[in-house]
Amino acid sequence: MTVTGDGTALRRARDRAADVLCDPSLAHVVDLIAHPSGDGGIVVANADGAAVLRADGTELLHGRNPVADQDPLAFTPLTAELADPSPANADNAYPYAFERLTSLFAAAHAPDVAVVHTGKHHWPDQGGHLGEHGSLNVVQSRAPLILSGAGVTERGVLAASARVVDVAPTLSWLAGAPLSSLADMDGTALVDFLVPESRHVVGLLWDGCNSNSLYALALAGELPNIARLLMNGCALRGGSIAEFPSVTLVNHTSALTGVGPGRHGIVNNAYFDRGSAVQVLTNNAATWHRWSEWLAPGVRTAFERIDGPSASVNEPVDTGTAYSTFRLVREAGKSDGAKSMMDDFLPDPKADPLATQEFVLSNKDYAWASSVDGIGVQQVLDLWPSRSEAPRLMWWNTLLTDTGHHEGGPHSPIAHASMRDADRRLGVFLDHLERIGALEQTTILLTSDHGSEGADRSCTGDWDEPLRDAGLEFRDEAYGFIYLGHS
Ligand SMILES: [Zn+2]
Protein backbone atom coordinates (compact mmCIF):
# COMPACT_ATOMS: atom_id res chain seq x y z
CA MET A 1 0.00 0.00 0.00
CA THR A 2 1.21 3.52 -0.79
CA VAL A 3 0.08 6.41 1.36
CA THR A 4 -0.28 9.69 -0.50
CA GLY A 5 -1.33 13.14 0.67
CA ASP A 6 -4.84 11.78 1.12
CA GLY A 7 -5.51 11.85 4.85
CA THR A 8 -7.99 8.99 4.61
CA ALA A 9 -5.35 6.63 3.23
CA LEU A 10 -2.95 7.67 5.99
CA ARG A 11 -5.57 7.08 8.66
CA ARG A 12 -6.37 3.70 7.20
CA ALA A 13 -2.68 2.74 7.18
CA ARG A 14 -2.27 3.98 10.74
CA ASP A 15 -5.25 1.97 11.96
CA ARG A 16 -3.86 -1.10 10.22
CA ALA A 17 -0.45 -0.54 11.85
CA ALA A 18 -2.11 -0.03 15.25
CA ASP A 19 -3.97 -3.34 14.89
CA VAL A 20 -0.69 -5.14 14.18
CA LEU A 21 1.27 -3.39 16.95
CA CYS A 22 -1.43 -3.89 19.60
CA ASP A 23 -1.81 -7.59 18.90
CA PRO A 24 -1.18 -9.68 22.05
CA SER A 25 1.56 -11.57 20.18
CA LEU A 26 3.74 -8.41 20.37
CA ALA A 27 2.82 -7.38 23.92
CA HIS A 28 6.19 -8.57 25.30
CA VAL A 29 8.03 -5.96 23.18
CA VAL A 30 5.40 -3.24 22.55
CA ASP A 31 4.69 -1.37 25.78
CA LEU A 32 2.30 0.98 24.00
CA ILE A 33 1.90 2.99 20.82
CA ALA A 34 1.00 6.67 20.52
CA HIS A 35 -0.27 8.90 17.74
CA PRO A 36 -2.31 12.10 17.41
CA SER A 37 -6.08 11.62 17.65
CA GLY A 38 -6.69 14.23 14.95
CA ASP A 39 -8.71 16.51 17.26
CA GLY A 40 -6.07 17.77 19.65
CA GLY A 41 -5.62 14.64 21.73
CA ILE A 42 -3.12 11.81 21.79
CA VAL A 43 -4.19 8.19 21.37
CA VAL A 44 -2.27 5.71 23.53
CA ALA A 45 -2.96 2.03 23.00
CA ASN A 46 -1.64 -1.47 23.62
CA ALA A 47 -2.96 -5.01 23.78
CA ASP A 48 -4.89 -4.26 26.99
CA GLY A 49 -6.69 -1.08 26.03
CA ALA A 50 -6.67 2.40 24.56
CA ALA A 51 -7.35 5.96 25.66
CA VAL A 52 -7.26 9.49 24.30
CA LEU A 53 -5.23 11.88 26.44
CA ARG A 54 -6.45 15.47 26.35
CA ALA A 55 -5.55 18.68 28.18
CA ASP A 56 -8.81 18.46 30.15
CA GLY A 57 -8.73 14.75 30.96
CA THR A 58 -8.56 11.22 29.62
CA GLU A 59 -11.19 9.50 27.49
CA LEU A 60 -11.05 5.71 27.83
CA LEU A 61 -11.75 4.02 24.48
CA HIS A 62 -11.65 0.41 25.64
CA GLY A 63 -9.95 -1.81 28.21
CA ARG A 64 -7.36 -0.10 30.39
CA ASN A 65 -5.55 3.26 29.95
CA PRO A 66 -1.90 2.28 29.18
CA VAL A 67 -0.52 5.40 30.93
CA ALA A 68 -2.90 5.55 33.90
CA ASP A 69 -0.13 5.94 36.49
CA GLN A 70 1.92 9.10 35.93
CA ASP A 71 3.74 9.34 39.28
CA PRO A 72 7.24 10.79 38.70
CA LEU A 73 8.38 9.34 42.05
CA ALA A 74 7.39 5.77 41.15
CA PHE A 75 10.15 3.17 41.68
CA THR A 76 12.25 5.34 43.99
CA PRO A 77 14.56 4.85 45.79
CA LEU A 78 16.87 2.14 44.41
CA THR A 79 15.42 -0.64 46.58
CA ALA A 80 11.98 -0.03 45.02
CA GLU A 81 13.42 -0.16 41.50
CA LEU A 82 15.37 -3.36 42.17
CA ALA A 83 12.30 -5.00 43.76
CA ASP A 84 10.44 -4.75 40.44
CA PRO A 85 12.83 -4.62 37.47
CA SER A 86 11.18 -4.24 34.04
CA PRO A 87 7.68 -3.63 35.41
CA ALA A 88 4.81 -4.59 33.12
CA ASN A 89 2.71 -1.83 31.61
CA ALA A 90 -0.09 -2.25 34.16
CA ASP A 91 2.38 -1.71 37.03
CA ASN A 92 4.53 0.97 35.38
CA ALA A 93 4.41 4.79 35.51
CA TYR A 94 4.49 7.34 32.67
CA PRO A 95 4.99 10.85 34.10
CA TYR A 96 3.72 13.81 32.05
CA ALA A 97 2.56 11.43 29.31
CA PHE A 98 0.15 13.94 27.76
CA GLU A 99 2.59 16.86 27.87
CA ARG A 100 5.52 14.86 26.50
CA LEU A 101 3.60 13.14 23.71
CA THR A 102 1.84 16.37 22.73
CA SER A 103 5.21 18.08 22.43
CA LEU A 104 6.63 15.32 20.23
CA PHE A 105 3.68 15.22 17.84
CA ALA A 106 3.73 19.01 17.44
CA ALA A 107 7.05 18.64 15.60
CA ALA A 108 7.15 18.67 11.80
CA HIS A 109 9.32 15.55 11.73
CA ALA A 110 7.35 13.55 14.29
CA PRO A 111 6.46 10.02 13.16
CA ASP A 112 2.94 8.91 12.25
CA VAL A 113 3.07 6.36 15.07
CA ALA A 114 5.55 6.14 17.96
CA VAL A 115 6.13 2.61 19.23
CA VAL A 116 7.34 2.45 22.83
CA HIS A 117 9.55 -0.55 23.67
CA THR A 118 8.82 -2.49 26.84
CA GLY A 119 11.58 -1.99 29.41
CA LYS A 120 12.75 -5.58 29.09
CA HIS A 121 12.86 -5.67 25.26
CA HIS A 122 16.35 -6.69 24.12
CA TRP A 123 17.13 -5.92 20.47
CA PRO A 124 20.86 -6.35 19.82
CA ASP A 125 20.24 -7.00 16.10
CA GLN A 126 18.98 -3.43 15.73
CA GLY A 127 21.55 -1.77 17.98
CA GLY A 128 19.97 -2.39 21.37
CA HIS A 129 22.07 -2.84 24.51
CA LEU A 130 21.81 -4.51 27.90
CA GLY A 131 20.99 -1.10 29.32
CA GLU A 132 18.47 0.99 27.41
CA HIS A 133 16.53 4.23 27.40
CA GLY A 134 14.25 5.97 24.92
CA SER A 135 10.91 4.77 26.23
CA LEU A 136 8.16 6.74 27.96
CA ASN A 137 8.35 4.81 31.22
CA VAL A 138 9.62 6.44 34.38
CA VAL A 139 12.89 4.53 34.89
CA GLN A 140 14.14 5.17 31.34
CA SER A 141 12.95 8.78 31.54
CA ARG A 142 14.31 9.70 34.96
CA ALA A 143 17.61 11.58 35.12
CA PRO A 144 19.14 12.49 38.48
CA LEU A 145 18.94 16.10 39.64
CA ILE A 146 21.33 17.50 42.24
CA LEU A 147 21.65 21.16 43.24
CA SER A 148 24.68 22.22 45.25
CA GLY A 149 26.61 25.23 46.47
CA ALA A 150 25.83 28.92 46.63
CA GLY A 151 22.14 29.76 46.76
CA VAL A 152 20.84 26.23 47.33
CA THR A 153 18.31 26.48 50.14
CA GLU A 154 17.41 22.82 50.73
CA ARG A 155 19.37 19.82 52.06
CA GLY A 156 19.02 16.06 51.67
CA VAL A 157 17.17 13.86 49.21
CA LEU A 158 13.78 15.45 48.71
CA ALA A 159 10.50 13.78 47.73
CA ALA A 160 10.26 15.97 44.64
CA SER A 161 10.88 15.87 40.92
CA ALA A 162 11.47 18.19 37.98
CA ARG A 163 11.61 17.96 34.19
CA VAL A 164 14.55 18.18 31.82
CA VAL A 165 12.98 21.31 30.30
CA ASP A 166 13.38 22.97 33.73
CA VAL A 167 17.19 22.89 33.47
CA ALA A 168 17.61 25.79 31.01
CA PRO A 169 15.36 28.23 32.89
CA THR A 170 17.06 27.27 36.16
CA LEU A 171 20.58 27.83 34.81
CA SER A 172 19.57 31.07 33.05
CA TRP A 173 17.89 32.45 36.17
CA LEU A 174 20.86 31.52 38.38
CA ALA A 175 23.15 33.26 35.88
CA GLY A 176 21.18 36.50 36.09
CA ALA A 177 18.28 36.30 33.61
CA PRO A 178 15.04 37.64 35.10
CA LEU A 179 12.28 35.03 35.45
CA SER A 180 10.01 37.16 33.26
CA SER A 181 12.47 36.77 30.36
CA LEU A 182 12.17 32.97 30.55
CA ALA A 183 8.37 32.71 30.41
CA ASP A 184 8.44 31.53 26.78
CA MET A 185 10.18 28.27 27.76
CA ASP A 186 8.18 25.07 28.38
CA GLY A 187 10.01 24.49 31.67
CA THR A 188 10.25 26.68 34.75
CA ALA A 189 13.13 27.59 37.06
CA LEU A 190 13.42 25.52 40.26
CA VAL A 191 12.59 28.45 42.54
CA ASP A 192 11.57 26.18 45.45
CA PHE A 193 15.13 24.99 46.06
CA LEU A 194 17.33 27.93 45.08
CA VAL A 195 18.01 31.64 45.18
CA PRO A 196 20.17 33.24 42.49
CA GLU A 197 23.11 34.64 44.43
CA SER A 198 26.20 32.98 42.94
CA ARG A 199 28.83 34.50 40.66
CA HIS A 200 29.28 31.31 38.68
CA VAL A 201 26.87 28.62 37.51
CA VAL A 202 27.94 25.14 36.44
CA GLY A 203 25.71 22.59 34.73
CA LEU A 204 27.02 19.03 34.68
CA LEU A 205 25.36 16.43 32.46
CA TRP A 206 26.38 12.83 33.15
CA ASP A 207 24.83 11.17 30.13
CA GLY A 208 22.51 8.24 30.76
CA CYS A 209 22.89 7.88 34.54
CA ASN A 210 20.31 5.89 36.45
CA SER A 211 19.18 8.34 39.10
CA ASN A 212 18.43 5.85 41.93
CA SER A 213 21.78 4.19 41.38
CA LEU A 214 23.75 7.46 41.41
CA TYR A 215 22.17 8.56 44.69
CA ALA A 216 22.60 5.14 46.32
CA LEU A 217 26.30 4.91 45.37
CA ALA A 218 26.89 8.43 46.67
CA LEU A 219 25.13 7.69 49.98
CA ALA A 220 27.18 4.47 50.30
CA GLY A 221 30.40 6.49 50.02
CA GLU A 222 31.37 5.18 46.59
CA LEU A 223 31.05 8.54 44.82
CA PRO A 224 32.79 10.89 47.26
CA ASN A 225 32.49 13.96 45.04
CA ILE A 226 28.76 13.50 44.44
CA ALA A 227 28.54 13.12 48.22
CA ARG A 228 30.44 16.40 48.50
CA LEU A 229 27.79 18.07 46.31
CA LEU A 230 25.04 16.57 48.46
CA MET A 231 26.67 17.86 51.67
CA ASN A 232 26.17 21.38 50.33
CA GLY A 233 22.85 20.90 48.63
CA CYS A 234 20.00 18.59 47.77
CA ALA A 235 18.84 15.95 45.31
CA LEU A 236 15.36 15.40 43.94
CA ARG A 237 14.37 11.78 44.53
CA GLY A 238 12.11 11.84 41.46
CA GLY A 239 14.96 13.35 39.46
CA SER A 240 14.35 15.18 36.23
CA ILE A 241 11.95 13.61 33.72
CA ALA A 242 13.19 13.54 30.12
CA GLU A 243 11.19 14.53 27.09
CA PHE A 244 9.97 11.69 24.85
CA PRO A 245 11.73 9.87 23.31
CA SER A 246 14.12 9.68 26.27
CA VAL A 247 17.20 9.77 24.05
CA THR A 248 20.34 11.86 24.03
CA LEU A 249 20.10 14.69 21.55
CA VAL A 250 16.39 15.34 22.14
CA ASN A 251 17.14 15.91 25.80
CA HIS A 252 20.48 17.70 25.62
CA THR A 253 18.58 20.15 23.43
CA SER A 254 15.63 20.36 25.85
CA ALA A 255 17.95 20.78 28.85
CA LEU A 256 19.71 23.73 27.27
CA THR A 257 16.78 25.41 25.48
CA GLY A 258 13.99 24.75 28.00
CA VAL A 259 11.59 23.53 25.31
CA GLY A 260 10.41 20.10 24.19
CA PRO A 261 10.98 18.48 20.79
CA GLY A 262 7.74 19.97 19.41
CA ARG A 263 9.41 23.37 19.57
CA HIS A 264 13.12 22.65 19.14
CA GLY A 265 12.45 20.21 16.30
CA ILE A 266 15.08 17.55 17.11
CA VAL A 267 12.70 14.63 17.55
CA ASN A 268 15.12 11.70 17.84
CA ASN A 269 18.74 10.65 17.39
CA ALA A 270 17.63 9.63 13.88
CA TYR A 271 14.44 10.71 12.14
CA PHE A 272 12.89 11.14 8.70
CA ASP A 273 12.39 14.44 6.91
CA ARG A 274 9.31 13.83 4.76
CA GLY A 275 9.83 17.05 2.75
CA SER A 276 13.26 16.14 1.44
CA ALA A 277 12.72 12.37 1.92
CA VAL A 278 16.03 11.96 3.74
CA GLN A 279 17.02 10.35 6.99
CA VAL A 280 18.49 12.84 9.49
CA LEU A 281 21.18 11.38 11.77
CA THR A 282 21.77 13.77 14.64
CA ASN A 283 23.49 11.98 17.50
CA ASN A 284 26.78 10.82 16.05
CA ALA A 285 30.41 11.79 16.56
CA ALA A 286 30.51 12.77 12.90
CA THR A 287 27.52 15.12 13.20
CA TRP A 288 27.47 16.52 16.78
CA HIS A 289 29.12 19.74 15.58
CA ARG A 290 26.19 20.36 13.19
CA TRP A 291 23.58 20.52 15.99
CA SER A 292 22.38 24.07 15.24
CA GLU A 293 21.48 23.08 11.65
CA TRP A 294 18.61 20.95 12.97
CA LEU A 295 17.33 23.40 15.56
CA ALA A 296 14.00 25.07 14.76
CA PRO A 297 14.29 28.80 13.99
CA GLY A 298 13.90 31.17 16.93
CA VAL A 299 14.78 28.65 19.66
CA ARG A 300 17.42 30.08 22.00
CA THR A 301 19.84 28.38 24.37
CA ALA A 302 20.46 29.26 28.02
CA PHE A 303 23.81 30.69 26.85
CA GLU A 304 21.95 33.24 24.70
CA ARG A 305 19.70 34.25 27.59
CA ILE A 306 22.41 35.56 29.90
CA ASP A 307 25.03 38.28 30.08
CA GLY A 308 28.60 37.27 30.67
CA PRO A 309 30.90 34.63 29.24
CA SER A 310 29.64 31.08 28.88
CA ALA A 311 31.23 27.80 27.88
CA SER A 312 30.00 24.45 26.56
CA VAL A 313 32.39 21.51 27.01
CA ASN A 314 32.01 18.33 24.92
CA GLU A 315 28.39 19.35 24.28
CA PRO A 316 26.70 19.61 20.86
CA VAL A 317 24.38 22.37 22.12
CA ASP A 318 26.60 25.44 22.02
CA THR A 319 24.96 28.45 20.33
CA GLY A 320 25.76 31.66 22.20
CA THR A 321 28.84 30.43 24.04
CA ALA A 322 32.16 32.23 24.26
CA TYR A 323 33.93 28.83 24.28
CA SER A 324 32.70 25.58 22.83
CA THR A 325 34.40 22.29 22.02
CA PHE A 326 32.31 21.80 18.90
CA ARG A 327 33.03 25.28 17.56
CA LEU A 328 36.66 24.17 17.49
CA VAL A 329 35.51 21.09 15.58
CA ARG A 330 33.58 23.23 13.07
CA GLU A 331 36.53 25.56 12.62
CA ALA A 332 38.80 22.61 11.90
CA GLY A 333 36.56 22.00 8.87
CA LYS A 334 36.77 18.21 8.78
CA SER A 335 33.88 16.60 6.95
CA ASP A 336 33.37 13.93 9.60
CA GLY A 337 33.55 16.47 12.42
CA ALA A 338 34.68 15.18 15.76
CA LYS A 339 35.11 11.62 14.55
CA SER A 340 38.59 11.94 13.07
CA MET A 341 39.49 15.21 14.79
CA MET A 342 38.93 13.77 18.24
CA ASP A 343 40.95 10.72 17.31
CA ASP A 344 43.86 13.03 16.44
CA PHE A 345 43.78 14.75 19.83
CA LEU A 346 42.47 12.17 22.23
CA PRO A 347 44.77 11.26 25.09
CA ASP A 348 45.64 7.62 25.69
CA PRO A 349 43.07 6.32 28.21
CA LYS A 350 45.54 3.64 29.30
CA ALA A 351 47.67 6.45 30.74
CA ASP A 352 44.73 8.07 32.56
CA PRO A 353 44.85 7.44 36.33
CA LEU A 354 41.20 8.55 36.59
CA ALA A 355 39.97 5.78 34.28
CA THR A 356 39.08 2.25 35.42
CA GLN A 357 41.71 0.26 33.53
CA GLU A 358 39.83 -3.04 33.73
CA PHE A 359 37.18 -1.64 31.36
CA VAL A 360 39.51 0.61 29.31
CA LEU A 361 41.40 -2.57 28.35
CA SER A 362 38.37 -4.79 27.76
CA ASN A 363 35.86 -2.46 26.09
CA LYS A 364 36.75 -0.15 23.19
CA ASP A 365 33.69 2.09 23.68
CA TYR A 366 34.65 2.55 27.33
CA ALA A 367 38.20 3.43 26.26
CA TRP A 368 37.03 5.98 23.66
CA ALA A 369 34.56 7.69 26.02
CA SER A 370 37.26 7.78 28.72
CA SER A 371 39.53 9.66 26.30
CA VAL A 372 36.81 12.16 25.40
CA ASP A 373 36.03 12.74 29.09
CA GLY A 374 39.77 13.07 29.72
CA ILE A 375 39.98 16.07 27.39
CA GLY A 376 36.81 17.34 29.07
CA VAL A 377 38.72 17.70 32.33
CA GLN A 378 41.55 19.54 30.58
CA GLN A 379 39.10 21.97 29.02
CA VAL A 380 37.27 22.82 32.25
CA LEU A 381 40.53 23.45 34.08
CA ASP A 382 41.65 25.76 31.25
CA LEU A 383 38.33 27.62 31.42
CA TRP A 384 38.85 28.46 35.12
CA PRO A 385 42.40 29.90 35.31
CA SER A 386 41.31 32.19 38.16
CA ARG A 387 38.14 33.33 39.90
CA SER A 388 38.00 36.58 37.95
CA GLU A 389 38.44 34.89 34.55
CA ALA A 390 35.93 32.08 35.16
CA PRO A 391 32.77 31.75 33.06
CA ARG A 392 29.43 33.02 34.33
CA LEU A 393 27.82 29.81 33.04
CA MET A 394 29.65 26.62 32.14
CA TRP A 395 28.09 23.37 30.88
CA TRP A 396 30.17 20.18 30.98
CA ASN A 397 28.95 17.01 29.29
CA THR A 398 30.26 13.60 30.41
CA LEU A 399 29.90 10.72 27.90
CA LEU A 400 31.31 7.73 29.73
CA THR A 401 28.34 7.20 32.04
CA ASP A 402 26.06 6.49 29.06
CA THR A 403 28.57 3.98 27.68
CA GLY A 404 28.84 2.18 31.01
CA HIS A 405 25.06 1.99 31.46
CA HIS A 406 24.49 0.71 27.90
CA GLU A 407 27.23 -1.89 28.01
CA GLY A 408 26.20 -3.69 31.16
CA GLY A 409 22.84 -2.27 32.24
CA PRO A 410 22.37 0.32 34.98
CA HIS A 411 23.29 -1.85 37.97
CA SER A 412 26.30 -3.59 36.44
CA PRO A 413 29.97 -3.28 37.46
CA ILE A 414 30.80 -1.36 34.25
CA ALA A 415 28.00 1.18 34.88
CA HIS A 416 29.21 1.67 38.45
CA ALA A 417 32.80 2.05 37.22
CA SER A 418 31.71 4.73 34.74
CA MET A 419 30.16 6.72 37.58
CA ARG A 420 33.25 6.28 39.78
CA ASP A 421 35.46 7.56 36.94
CA ALA A 422 33.15 10.54 36.35
CA ASP A 423 33.21 11.19 40.10
CA ARG A 424 37.03 11.28 40.11
CA ARG A 425 36.99 13.77 37.19
CA LEU A 426 34.43 15.87 39.07
CA GLY A 427 36.75 15.77 42.10
CA VAL A 428 39.61 17.26 40.06
CA PHE A 429 37.34 20.15 39.08
CA LEU A 430 35.95 20.73 42.59
CA ASP A 431 39.47 20.71 44.07
CA HIS A 432 40.50 23.27 41.46
CA LEU A 433 37.53 25.54 42.27
CA GLU A 434 38.46 25.33 45.93
CA ARG A 435 42.11 26.16 45.13
CA ILE A 436 41.22 29.32 43.19
CA GLY A 437 38.64 30.35 45.81
CA ALA A 438 35.63 29.99 43.49
CA LEU A 439 33.78 27.03 45.02
CA GLU A 440 31.75 29.00 47.55
CA GLN A 441 30.59 31.43 44.88
CA THR A 442 29.42 28.74 42.48
CA THR A 443 26.08 26.96 42.09
CA ILE A 444 26.33 23.47 40.60
CA LEU A 445 23.44 21.59 38.94
CA LEU A 446 24.13 17.94 38.08
CA THR A 447 21.75 15.99 35.90
CA SER A 448 21.50 13.55 32.96
CA ASP A 449 19.58 13.58 29.72
CA HIS A 450 17.55 10.40 30.51
CA GLY A 451 17.67 7.31 32.70
CA SER A 452 18.66 3.70 32.08
CA GLU A 453 16.87 0.38 32.50
CA GLY A 454 18.18 -3.17 32.18
CA ALA A 455 16.92 -5.26 29.27
CA ASP A 456 16.10 -8.96 29.56
CA ARG A 457 18.24 -11.07 27.20
CA SER A 458 15.42 -13.56 26.81
CA CYS A 459 12.88 -10.92 25.73
CA THR A 460 13.42 -10.62 21.99
CA GLY A 461 11.06 -9.90 19.11
CA ASP A 462 10.44 -7.44 16.32
CA TRP A 463 7.42 -5.49 15.09
CA ASP A 464 8.78 -4.54 11.67
CA GLU A 465 8.25 -8.00 10.23
CA PRO A 466 4.54 -8.28 11.13
CA LEU A 467 4.03 -4.71 9.85
CA ARG A 468 5.56 -5.73 6.51
CA ASP A 469 3.53 -8.94 6.47
CA ALA A 470 0.41 -6.78 6.82
CA GLY A 471 1.32 -5.10 3.53
CA LEU A 472 2.28 -1.76 5.06
CA GLU A 473 4.89 0.48 3.48
CA PHE A 474 6.82 2.33 6.17
CA ARG A 475 10.15 3.52 7.51
CA ASP A 476 11.05 2.68 11.09
CA GLU A 477 13.59 5.27 12.26
CA ALA A 478 15.61 4.79 15.45
CA TYR A 479 13.54 1.60 15.96
CA GLY A 480 10.22 2.97 17.09
CA PHE A 481 9.39 5.98 14.91
CA ILE A 482 7.05 4.72 12.17
CA TYR A 483 6.65 6.91 9.08
CA LEU A 484 3.89 5.42 6.93
CA GLY A 485 3.92 5.44 3.15
CA HIS A 486 7.68 5.79 2.87
CA SER A 487 10.28 3.14 2.32
ZN1 LIG B 1 22.19 10.24 26.50
Side-chain angles (χ1 to χ4, degrees), residues 133 205 207-208 247-249 252 402 449-450:
H133 56 83
L205 188 146
D207 201 300
V247 298
T248 295
L249 211 61
H252 281 243
D402 191 60
D449 48 348
H450 46 73

Coordinates of all heavy atoms in Angstrom, one line a residue, residues 133 205 207-208 247-249 252 402 449-450, ligand 1:
H133 N 17.4 3.1 27.1 CA 16.5 4.2 27.4 C 15.9 4.6 26.1 O 16.2 4.0 25.1 CB 17.4 5.4 28.0 CG 18.5 5.8 27.1 ND1 18.3 6.7 26.0 CD2 19.8 5.4 27.1 CE1 19.5 6.8 25.4 NE2 20.4 6.1 26.0
L205 N 26.2 17.5 33.0 CA 25.4 16.4 32.5 C 26.2 15.1 32.4 O 27.1 15.1 31.6 CB 24.8 16.8 31.1 CG 23.7 15.8 30.6 CD1 22.6 16.6 29.8 CD2 24.2 14.7 29.8
D207 N 25.8 11.8 31.1 CA 24.8 11.2 30.1 C 24.4 9.8 30.6 O 25.2 8.9 31.0 CB 25.5 11.1 28.8 CG 24.5 11.0 27.6 OD1 23.7 10.0 27.6 OD2 24.5 11.8 26.8
G208 N 23.1 9.6 30.6 CA 22.5 8.2 30.8 C 22.6 7.6 32.1 O 22.6 6.4 32.3
V247 N 15.9 10.0 24.7 CA 17.2 9.8 24.1 C 18.1 11.0 24.1 O 17.6 12.1 24.5 CB 17.1 9.3 22.6 CG1 16.3 8.0 22.5 CG2 16.4 10.4 21.7
T248 N 19.3 10.9 23.7 CA 20.3 11.9 24.0 C 20.1 13.2 23.4 O 19.9 14.2 24.1 CB 21.7 11.3 23.6 OG1 22.0 10.2 24.5 CG2 22.8 12.3 23.8
L249 N 20.1 13.3 22.1 CA 20.1 14.7 21.6 C 18.8 15.4 21.7 O 18.8 16.7 21.9 CB 20.5 14.7 20.1 CG 21.3 16.0 19.8 CD1 22.5 16.2 20.6 CD2 21.6 16.1 18.3
H252 N 19.5 16.7 25.5 CA 20.5 17.7 25.6 C 19.9 19.0 25.1 O 20.1 20.1 25.7 CB 21.7 17.3 24.8 CG 22.6 16.3 25.4 ND1 23.9 16.6 25.8 CD2 22.4 15.0 25.8 CE1 24.5 15.5 26.4 NE2 23.5 14.6 26.3
D402 N 27.0 7.1 30.0 CA 26.1 6.5 29.1 C 26.6 5.2 28.5 O 25.9 4.2 28.4 CB 25.7 7.4 27.9 CG 24.6 7.0 27.1 OD1 23.5 6.8 27.6 OD2 24.8 6.7 25.9
D449 N 20.5 13.3 30.8 CA 19.6 13.6 29.7 C 18.4 12.6 29.7 O 17.4 12.8 29.0 CB 20.3 13.6 28.4 CG 21.2 12.4 28.2 OD1 21.5 11.7 29.2 OD2 21.6 12.1 27.0
H450 N 18.6 11.5 30.4 CA 17.6 10.4 30.5 C 18.0 9.4 31.6 O 19.1 9.6 32.1 CB 17.4 9.7 29.1 CG 18.7 9.4 28.5 ND1 19.5 8.3 28.9 CD2 19.3 10.0 27.4 CE1 20.5 8.3 28.1 NE2 20.5 9.3 27.2
Ligands
ZN1 ZN 22.2 10.2 26.5

